[in-house]
Amino acid sequence: MSSFGHVEALARRRALLCSRAVPRLDRLLARTLGLSRKQSTRLCRAGRVVAEDGAALRDPAHPLPPSRLPITVRVDARPVTLRARYHLLQHKPRGVVTALRDRRHRTAFDLLAQAREEVPLLRDLRAVGRLDLDTSGLLLWTTEGPLLHRITHPRYAVPRVYHVALARPWSPLPPDLTLEDGSRPRVQALAPLERAAAHPALHVPDEAAALATITLTSGMFHEVRRVFAALDSHVLGLCRVAYGSVTLPRELAPGEHRELDLHAEFANLHPASDESSSSSASKSSSSSSSSSSSSSSSSSSSSSSSSSSSSSSSSSSSSSSSSSATPPPAQDVTPA
Ligand code: URA
């Protein structure tokens, strides 16, 4: 079995075990309210946890099968919704790091913790991939490790769409683009982007000479910056506008977040075929000189599908071929 197969099998086994373990009241209370198990046990025993019908839930081991979740109980008369999992999308602003804690900078997690009253299972949330300190845009969070593992694993080749402000036009994408460390980014699409179609979350400095939209199905460190450096350009502003079928709502303010159902979004996720996950693009690409307004606007429409995206796009994702959870690329530069 390949190492990926092994990890995948372990993740599946863990998920199965978790799914068999019926959640208990004390555990869910502890996770939801950020309490220790001892504290949540005490709450129950003291009769401070009450069901919707008014009955006190004194047994800390009271089972709450997944089919009954989410469920609302009252703790000291305050309604508390208990759930086993939670996902959200966040508009990560520039200047915060993708981390739980950091000594020097504010973190994307700090922004969630600031709104802890409205973020269930806060302590269990983990970011799906990373955005650089200076990158803005779509950051997904989930409490589910196996799901996070799947949607970030290169085998599933989930497309990530970025809008980019550049210091100068880029040179044509070679079919075998190789970065300075020998890695081969998987560029699914690259096209010029019109200013009006750029996501409002993209920072465009005055000195920017070109805008682009790029779709990658790999997720390497500083990948977009390194791709444009390899194409003789330089990234001045970078914003992730989509991850699979999930798009960053245009009206979502920096630092704000919104709940979404990641299971629905990635319901049709399959391992990519060899062709679609193969390294880099091997056909001619568009450079900034080959202006294509239609391609840039198609990209922007995917990013502007806004708040409804999280609930509506899962069905559209099923029609995709290489990765099932993807809007159509701005311009396909991968081999057919
Ligand atoms: N590529 C980058 O270079 N930076 C990011 O933050 C994301 C992708």
Side-chain angles (χ1 to χ4, degrees), residues 20 28 32 44 58-59 141 175 253 289 296:
R20 278 191 193 142
L28 290 182
T32 305
C44 299
R58 291 177 186 275
D59 177 10
W141 293 82
S289 53
S296 57

Side-chain angles (χ1 to χ4, degrees), residues 130-136 162 216 220-226 235 238 240:
R130 268 167 198 280
L131 294 177
D132 298 337
L133 180 67
D134 287 340
T135 303
S136 57
Y162 299 88
L216 291 154
M220 293 184 289
F221 184 62
H222 290 339
E223 193 169 17
V224 174
R225 293 172 205 275
R226 293 194 293 141
V235 171
L238 178 57
R240 181 156 69 197

Side-chain angles (χ1 to χ4, degrees), residues 44-68:
C44 299
R45 295 230 162 99
R48 291 165 62 188
V49 184
V50 174
E52 277 198 318
D53 63 4
L57 300 169
R58 291 177 186 275
D59 177 10
H62 181 82
L64 289 169
S67 58
R68 287 183 58 200

Side-chain angles (χ1 to χ4, degrees), residues 101-183:
R101 279 171 294 280
D102 189 83
R103 287 213 184 126
R104 290 175 48 211
H105 299 283
R106 284 187 88 200
T107 69
F109 186 79
D110 290 338
L111 297 175
L112 298 178
Q114 207 170 274
R116 65 178 66 246
E117 292 294 310
E118 51 184 82
V119 184
L121 307 182
L122 176 73
R123 288 196 308 198
D124 297 340
L125 282 169
R126 296 294 175 271
V128 177
R130 268 167 198 280
L131 294 177
D132 298 337
L133 180 67
D134 287 340
T135 303
S136 57
L138 179 67
L139 188 58
L140 302 177
W141 293 82
T142 178
T143 56
E144 291 186 278
L147 178 69
L148 188 154
H149 177 74
R150 273 162 67 86
I151 64 183
T152 51
H153 198 283
R155 189 174 188 213
Y156 290 93
V158 173
R160 292 90 155 148
V161 184
Y162 299 88
H163 285 181
V164 196
L166 296 155
R168 47 189 173 274
W170 64 94
S171 47
L173 185 69
D176 56 350
L177 179 69
T178 305
L179 301 183
E180 75 295 342
D181 59 355
S183 59

